[in-house]
């Protein structure tokens, strides 16, 4: 992906993050990501219906990379089957590990295809995504 | 004459990292050659344990080790070299004061007075003491700009306060706290005064007798000494009434199978285990190095740099500066509309090292109204030219460039 396009995508998701703002709805499962290694403090929520990730929300303080990555991946997995959502997340991890991955599946998340070059920012690109993964896996364990 | 270019030649870090602007000395300071030599000498000429007097080398190293107390006594103008306890930093020194004195002497109903600007290392040990004793923590209110005034302290002080613990320079805002006045008032109430000197001892001339504090904790690694070196200063009579954090070899005079234990005298009763001798010997070299330059000169130069830095930053309209009144080399700010970590990460690509975050002073957020800031911290080896370059980069910092870091 071209650098200017990537910059535009990331700016857009940072300025106006999608799925932003938490719901006070007990059907949503939430997870806080405050981590010791960085100053981001995001909370991610998922609503599951059967085997579908019906909705994803997030909020909190985060840098450009954590905010944009959480926003982009939340868009990608919303409405997908849990297994599909986990597959997308796994492809995203592969991209960040610099392994072969399915570019088509990641759409706007391809904006992070050079994140691995900045070792000290990789965790920013993972913080919200890992929370989504954890929430999905926990919901699978419950059944 | 204070000659910063000459001083910089003492620090191999500058030679080995050309172009690096290091503005993170509040985290740890670079080491000058004499400190490095002291450590290397230990490793290459006299690597033996202290206090085993059976052979000449050990006798020699033990001598240097104990002379370090005298060097530090002079550095702080303490009354007695035995008031210098070696620790591995401010954190362990504060924990020693908290567990060793606080937990021993405080009881239910007593109050520990702190401020909201304290580093975690000067908050969490006191939380533990409250759990152990039933004492409770109260906070001296800060002014809106984060400064601590004597009036506010006087208002917060009352009969139940048995201990006051404050940083003499705070690590986020870098303000100098009126410790001498605080100690005077606290003592009128019979309270004990602990000073967290982690950010003050490296930068300003400290005279513990003049301040009349009861304990002073600091990290020597922030004043050019090796990593893992620090000090707890305490008035002799208080140290005598303080329990060690650890007991073991080297701290006991004698003990028997029935569990009877007689500890050594102050300060050795606090120093169980084989000591960090190279750290201590390096700390001696560091204190001598700073005294040779002169703490007054260092303080003056830091003030001058700080004022210059603030003036330049205030001219930028894309910067929010949180501590324009600071004097001890800490400049805390944000670039408008940019998250602190993004700024720091961009500065990294411009070979500038700063810290972003809430700097372990999480209580302060309520006071300055922001959770994340960028902290640029100076030491006497920094220059106005570095500040000029820094300000130029900050001037041109945009969100697009910050995102560019990962493209
Ligand atoms: C004000 C203050 N207190 C305590 C500490 C803890 O020092 P150390 O990590 O060396 O124990 C620091 C260091 O960051 C500090 O700035």
């Amino acid at each position: 992906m071209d650098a200017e396009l990537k910059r535009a995508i990331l700016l857009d998701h940072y300025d106006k993050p999608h799925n932003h703002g938490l719901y006070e709805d007990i059907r949503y499962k939430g997870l806080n990501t405050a981590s010791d290694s960085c100053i981001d403090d995001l909370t991610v929520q998922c609503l599951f219906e059967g085997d579908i990730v019906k909705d994803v929300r997030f909020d909190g303080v985060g840098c450009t990379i954590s905010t944009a990555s959480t926003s982009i991946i939340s868009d990608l997995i919303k409405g997908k089957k849990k297994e599909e959502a986990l597959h997308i997340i796994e492809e995203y991890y592969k991209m960040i590990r610099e392994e072969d991955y399915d570019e088509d599946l990641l759409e706007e998340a391809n904006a992070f295809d050079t994140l691995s070059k900045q070792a000290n920012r990789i965790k920013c690109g993972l913080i919200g995504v890992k929370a989504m993964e954890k929430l999905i896996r926990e919901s699978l364990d419950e059944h | 004459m204070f000659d910063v270019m000459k001083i910089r030649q003492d620090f191999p870090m500058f030679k080995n990292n050309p172009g690096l602007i290091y503005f993170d000395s509040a985290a740890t300071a670079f080491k000058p050659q004499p400190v490095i030599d002291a450590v290397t000498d230990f490793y290459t000429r006299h690597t033996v344990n202290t206090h085993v007097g059976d052979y000449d080398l050990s006798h020699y190293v033990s001598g240097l080790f104990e002379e370090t107390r005298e060097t530090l006594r002079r550095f702080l103008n303490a009354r007695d070299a035995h008031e210098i306890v070696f620790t591995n930093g401010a954190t362990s020194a504060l924990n020693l004061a908290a567990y060793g004195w606080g937990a021993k002497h405080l009881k239910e109903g007593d109050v520990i007075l702190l401020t909201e600007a304290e580093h975690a290392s000067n908050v969490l040990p006191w939380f533990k003491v409250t759990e152990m004793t039933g004492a409770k923590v109260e906070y001296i209110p800060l002014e809106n700009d984060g400064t601590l005034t004597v009036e506010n302290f006087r208002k917060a002080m009352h009969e139940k306060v048995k201990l006051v613990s404050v940083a003499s320079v705070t690590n986020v805002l870098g303000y100098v706290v009126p410790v001498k006045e605080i100690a005077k008032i606290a003592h009128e109430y019979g309270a004990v005064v602990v000073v967290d000197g982690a950010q003050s001892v490296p930068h300003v001339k400290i005279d513990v007798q003049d301040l009349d504090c009861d304990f002073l904790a600091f990290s020597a690694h922030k004043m050019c000494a090796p990593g893992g070196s620090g000090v707890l200063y305490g008035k002799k009579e208080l140290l005598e009434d303080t329990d060690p954090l650890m007991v073991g070899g080297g701290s006991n005079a004698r003990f028997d199978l029935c569990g009877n234990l007689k500890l050594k005298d102050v300060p050795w009763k606090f120093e169980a285990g084989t000591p960090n001798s190279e750290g201590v010997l390096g700390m001696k070299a560091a204190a001598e190095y700073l005294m040779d330059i002169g703490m007054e000169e260092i303080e003056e130069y830091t003030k001058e740099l700080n004022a210059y830095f603030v003036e330049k930053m205030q001219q930028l309209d894309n910067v929010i500066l949180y501590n324009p009144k600071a004097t001890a080399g800490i400049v805390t700010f944000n670039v408008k509309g940019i998250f602190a970590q993004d700024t720091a990460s961009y500065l990294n690509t411009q070979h500038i090292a700063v810290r972003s975050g809430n700097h372990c002073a999480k209580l302060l957020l309520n006071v300055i109204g922001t959770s994340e800031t960028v902290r640029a911290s100076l030491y006497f080896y920094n220059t106005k030219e570095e500040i000029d370059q820094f300000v130029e980069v900050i001037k041109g910092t945009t969100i697009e460039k910050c995102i560019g870091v990962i493209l």
Side-chain angles (χ1 to χ4, degrees), chain B residues 31-343:
Chain B
K31 320 303 175 199
Q33 197 60 47
V35 170
I36 297 166
D37 289 344
V39 175
T40 329
D41 275 356
F42 177 81
Y43 285 136
T44 54
R45 294 172 201 271
H46 38 254
T47 313
V48 300
N49 206 344
T50 51
H51 306 127
V52 247
D54 291 331
Y55 43 89
D56 290 347
L57 273 178
S58 174
H59 184 73
Y60 174 71
V61 170
S62 306
L64 286 181
F65 189 89
E66 290 305 322
E67 276 168 34
T68 306
R69 285 189 223 279
E70 171 54 25
T71 308
L72 269 293
R73 184 206 65 74
R74 261 196 303 134
F75 185 67
L76 302 174
N77 192 33
R79 213 171 286 122
D80 183 341
H82 295 155
E83 296 179 320
I84 307 294
V85 181
F86 299 139
T87 69
N88 52 36
T91 304
S92 63
L94 288 162
N95 273 276
L96 175 52
Y99 286 93
W101 193 91
K104 183 173 182 182
H105 296 283
L106 298 178
K107 52 184 192 319
E108 189 156 2
D110 290 346
V111 169
I112 299 167
L113 204 49
L114 309 174
T115 77
E116 291 169 328
E118 299 308 316
H119 186 278
S121 295
N122 192 28
V123 177
L124 303 183
W126 303 114
F127 282 0
K128 277 283 168 200
V129 169
T130 62
E131 279 172 30
M132 293 163 77
T133 61
K136 68 176 189 176
V137 166
E138 289 177 4
Y139 299 97
I140 311 162
L142 301 174
E143 293 293 298
N144 288 337
D145 61 4
T147 51
L148 174 59
T149 61
V150 177
E151 295 75 64
N152 279 358
F153 173 69
R154 198 186 291 278
K155 276 187 236 151
M157 195 63 206
H158 55 82
E159 294 295 335
K160 289 208 157 55
V161 176
K162 293 290 167 357
L163 185 138
V164 180
S165 190
V166 294
S168 48
V169 169
T170 60
N171 62 308
V172 178
L173 293 178
Y175 290 137
V176 179
V177 166
V179 172
K180 185 176 172 177
E181 291 76 9
I182 286 177
K184 187 160 178 291
I185 297 166
H187 288 153
E188 286 165 12
Y189 287 82
V192 162
V193 177
V194 181
V195 174
D196 174 356
Q199 298 299 348
S200 58
V201 174
H203 298 280
V204 299
K205 170 91 189 104
I206 297 281
D207 178 331
V208 287
Q209 294 190 64
D210 180 55
L211 290 180
D212 198 26
C213 56
D214 299 299
F215 291 102
L216 170 75
F218 63 95
S219 305
H221 69 86
K222 295 186 203 277
M223 51 169 253
C224 302
S229 63
V231 164
L232 179 68
Y233 155 84
K235 285 182 185 161
K236 191 86 181 295
E237 55 283 12
L238 279 148
L239 285 177
E240 271 158 5
D241 223 0
T242 299
D243 284 343
L245 260 188
M246 297 188 294
V247 286
S251 72
N252 61 85
R254 66 183 81 86
F255 63 98
D256 63 26
L257 293 175
C258 307
N260 297 312
L261 163 67
K262 173 144 181 10
L263 286 172
K264 282 188 179 163
D265 288 336
V266 168
W268 301 283
K269 73 171 182 181
F270 301 110
E271 296 172 1
T274 303
N276 172 15
S277 303
E278 53 273 55
V280 169
L281 302 192
M283 176 156 69
K284 179 172 190 291
E288 282 163 353
Y289 180 81
L290 295 180
M291 285 190 283
D292 279 349
I293 296 175
M295 284 312 291
E296 284 89 353
E297 281 70 20
I298 288 174
E299 185 174 342
E300 255 334 287
Y301 180 68
T302 309
K303 265 191 194 152
E304 187 186 320
L305 277 186
N306 197 328
Y308 183 78
F309 202 166
V310 166
E311 190 197 316
K312 293 268 160 176
M313 290 291 269
Q314 279 178 325
Q315 287 165 11
L316 301 184
D317 48 16
N318 65 335
V319 163
I320 309 166
L321 189 63
Y322 297 104
N323 60 343
K325 287 193 269 171
T327 53
I330 291 178
V331 173
T332 299
F333 68 97
N334 269 315
V335 177
K336 283 181 190 157
I338 304 184
F339 194 65
Q341 196 184 6
D342 288 314
T343 305

Side-chain angles (χ1 to χ4, degrees), chain A residues 58-71:
Chain A
F58 80 101
D59 207 346
V61 278
C63 64
T64 44
I65 298 171
S66 65
T67 305
S69 59
T70 309
S71 172

Side-chain angles (χ1 to χ4, degrees), chain A residues 7 40 63-64 114 118 121, chain B residues 339 341-342 345 400 405-406:
Chain A
R7 200 192 307 268
D40 302 77
C63 64
T64 44
T114 42
Q118 280 298 321
R121 301 305 294 279
Chain B
F339 194 65
Q341 196 184 6
D342 288 314
S345 188
E400 286 78 11
V405 164
I406 65 153

Side-chain angles (χ1 to χ4, degrees), chain A residues 3 7 13-14 19 22 31 40 46 49 51 59 62 66 81 84 94 99 109-110 119 121 125 128 133 140:
Chain A
R7 200 192 307 268
H13 278 273
Y14 180 62
N19 307 310
L22 301 177
L31 189 64
D40 302 77
C46 286
E49 244 178 55
D51 62 349
D59 207 346
S66 65
K81 285 196 163 139
E84 284 172 332
K94 279 188 194 164
E99 294 168 13
N110 284 301
R121 301 305 294 279
E133 183 198 357
L140 288 171

